[in-house]
Amino acid sequence: MTGDSRRFAKRETIFAPGEADGDLPKLISGAVILYTLFEDGRRQVLDLAGPGDFLHFDLEGAVDHYAEALMPSEVAYIPGPALLQDTDGAAFMVEQMRDRLAIERRHLTLLSYKSAMDRLEAFVKLAADCLGHDGARVDLPLTRQQIADFTGLTLETVSRTFAQWERDAVLTKIEGQTYLMGAALAA
Amino acid sequence: MTGDSRRFAKRETIFAPGEADGDLPKLISGAVILYTLFEDGRRQVLDLAGPGDFLHFDLEGAVDHYAEALMPSEVAYIPGPALLQDTDGAAFMVEQMRDRLAIERRHLTLLSYKSAMDRLEAFVKLAADCLGHDGARVDLPLTRQQIADFTGLTLETVSRTFAQWERDAVLTKIEGQTYLMGAALAA
DNA sequence: CGCCTCGTTGATTGTACTCAATGGGAGTGG
DNA sequence: CCACTCCCATTGAGTACAATCAACGAGGCG
């Protein structure tokens, strides 16, 4: 079930729309952001992927989004058609897709919130679940712009809200991109 | 591949969270809305389903959303585990899930738009694709509140935008819930 | 008729967007 | 080492747009 694998540097593009060759890219380690690009240059982040997640499920058709490494990452390429031949493999793939669907729906729910704070609270929790966290410690290897593109806000609003949270000790920057979630967020 | 089937009246609940029995509900005819309910009573519409769509993919685990008929609908129950045993069946299911994922991502994109008009324009197109349309004629068997819950707006904003569109002949109400999309929307 | 749900329209307010300027850190080259 | 640049982040001021609160209208049904 393991196939070829490749390593990607931070900020490197793993694939772009239109590329698909029957192999399914599965993230072994690192973190990846999936997004689409509009004509006007705006980006919409579709998903975050952590170790174990598939980056797309297109066996043959054209993928319609970009994948970019948020940190040094390793990607394995699983032969898709072979996976489907096997009953256990098919069940595994269905389970993976169901998990993705559930994540997308949490993302949908996030975007339905009308206030910036509600959205960002949901974002931090979702990112923690997608990318992994150590208790109340979370890594957010995203730029403010990427967080904005994930939450449907502007980078300024994201910046202001995080600043407010730091003042209120809801979220504390430990160092770099690692934060400590306060009681209000840890739930 | 066909199993039992059941008919549901308009506004009837097809299933609620927590119910799942290994059979996959597939919509034969009609239209269905999938949504979640928050503690505060707010609803978030997750998806619209038309003929041929599965209403969930949970073989055993608990479903986490509601399904409600938007019009008289018929639902077939496909034995899920049996479907997975078969190679063609598994491929079919994977394809269905991939389509759902694509729809959810369009929905995500819709919710990332900041203006009410952009969101509702994307909504009308998405609903047309999900529920079917006859050229520029589209049926929107949703209440204003349901459209609001789909787009993350309020029912007042939806009402105002539709009124504006009727004045500008962007969207014309033919009768009841059937509308005619103008050039601006037909794209 | 009275009741209820759904939809429309109006007036006001608040929040996040927009435009704009400044600050800070990483990397490069003299 | 310092000057320079570039990118990302922060902060400020003003504004626009949708949310909110509220009243009213239209249709369906017992």
Side-chain angles (χ1 to χ4, degrees):
Chain A
M1 196 179 102
T2 44
D4 247 359
S5 96
R6 248 196 82 187
R7 303 194 151 276
F8 293 89
K10 182 176 178 175
R11 321 212 111 235
E12 194 175 353
T13 296
I14 297 172
F15 59 77
E19 306 173 7
D21 52 5
D23 287 346
L24 301 181
K26 181 184 180 180
L27 188 59
I28 302 299
S29 65
V32 170
I33 191 169
L34 308 179
Y35 65 90
T36 53
L37 217 48
F38 300 121
E39 319 71 50
D40 61 7
R42 260 191 51 248
R43 283 160 192 246
Q44 169 59 29
V45 174
L46 295 173
D47 211 343
L48 297 174
D53 295 333
F54 281 98
L55 302 183
H56 72 68
F57 298 95
D58 279 293
L59 291 172
E60 43 193 42
V63 198
D64 60 352
H65 58 271
Y66 293 83
E68 183 185 310
L70 289 170
M71 55 172 73
S73 300
E74 186 178 4
V75 176
Y77 293 91
I78 315 281
L83 191 61
L84 271 182
Q85 293 305 316
D86 175 46
T87 300
D88 288 345
F92 174 71
M93 189 164 163
V94 165
E95 190 185 324
Q96 287 288 318
M97 292 184 81
R98 189 164 45 226
D99 288 350
R100 274 301 100 183
L101 213 46
I103 296 279
E104 305 279 309
R105 286 179 171 169
R106 273 181 75 183
H107 193 171
L108 268 180
T109 302
L110 180 167
L111 286 171
S112 80
Y113 297 149
K114 299 192 202 309
S115 95
M117 265 190 45
D118 287 351
R119 283 198 202 180
L120 285 168
E121 183 181 328
F123 161 73
V124 172
K125 291 174 182 170
L126 188 52
D129 288 345
C130 281
L131 305 179
H133 58 106
D134 172 18
R137 286 168 63 109
V138 242
D139 249 45
L140 298 179
L142 311 196
T143 66
R144 293 284 187 256
Q145 183 61 57
Q146 286 171 328
I147 297 175
D149 291 341
F150 190 103
T151 53
L153 302 167
T154 60
L155 106 193
E156 293 96 326
T157 301
V158 172
S159 186
R160 278 185 244 270
T161 306
F162 273 62
Q164 184 63 44
W165 278 350
E166 294 242 28
R167 280 191 289 275
D168 299 348
V170 172
L171 198 68
T172 314
K173 182 183 278 182
I174 295 180
E175 58 103 13
Q177 60 204 18
T178 306
Y179 293 85
L180 189 67
M181 296 184 284
L185 273 176
Chain B
M1 197 178 102
T2 43
D4 247 359
S5 97
R6 250 196 80 187
R7 300 194 153 277
F8 293 88
K10 181 176 178 177
R11 319 213 112 234
E12 194 175 354
T13 296
I14 298 172
F15 59 77
E19 306 173 7
D21 52 6
D23 286 347
L24 300 182
K26 180 183 179 179
L27 189 59
I28 302 298
S29 66
V32 171
I33 191 169
L34 308 179
Y35 64 90
T36 53
L37 218 47
F38 299 123
E39 318 73 47
D40 61 7
R42 260 190 52 249
R43 283 160 193 246
Q44 169 59 30
V45 174
L46 295 173
D47 212 343
L48 296 174
D53 295 333
F54 282 99
L55 303 182
H56 72 67
F57 297 96
D58 278 293
L59 292 172
E60 41 192 41
V63 198
D64 60 352
H65 58 271
Y66 294 83
E68 182 185 310
L70 289 170
M71 54 173 72
S73 300
E74 184 177 6
V75 176
Y77 292 91
I78 315 283
L83 191 62
L84 271 183
Q85 293 305 315
D86 175 47
T87 300
D88 287 345
F92 174 70
M93 189 163 163
V94 164
E95 192 185 323
Q96 287 288 318
M97 292 184 82
R98 189 166 43 225
D99 288 351
R100 275 299 101 183
L101 213 45
I103 297 279
E104 306 277 309
R105 286 180 171 169
R106 272 181 75 183
H107 193 170
L108 268 180
T109 302
L110 180 165
L111 286 172
S112 80
Y113 296 149
K114 299 191 202 310
S115 96
M117 266 191 43
D118 288 351
R119 284 198 201 180
L120 285 168
E121 182 180 330
F123 161 74
V124 173
K125 290 175 183 171
L126 189 52
D129 288 346
C130 281
L131 305 179
H133 59 106
D134 172 18
R137 285 169 62 110
V138 64
D139 247 46
L140 298 178
L142 312 196
T143 65
R144 293 285 187 253
Q145 183 61 58
Q146 286 171 329
I147 297 175
D149 291 342
F150 190 103
T151 53
L153 302 167
T154 60
L155 104 192
E156 292 97 327
T157 301
V158 173
S159 186
R160 277 185 243 269
T161 305
F162 273 63
Q164 184 62 44
W165 278 350
E166 295 243 26
R167 279 191 291 274
D168 299 350
V170 173
L171 198 67
T172 313
K173 181 184 278 182
I174 297 179
E175 57 103 15
Q177 60 204 17
T178 305
Y179 292 86
L180 189 68
M181 297 184 284
L185 272 176

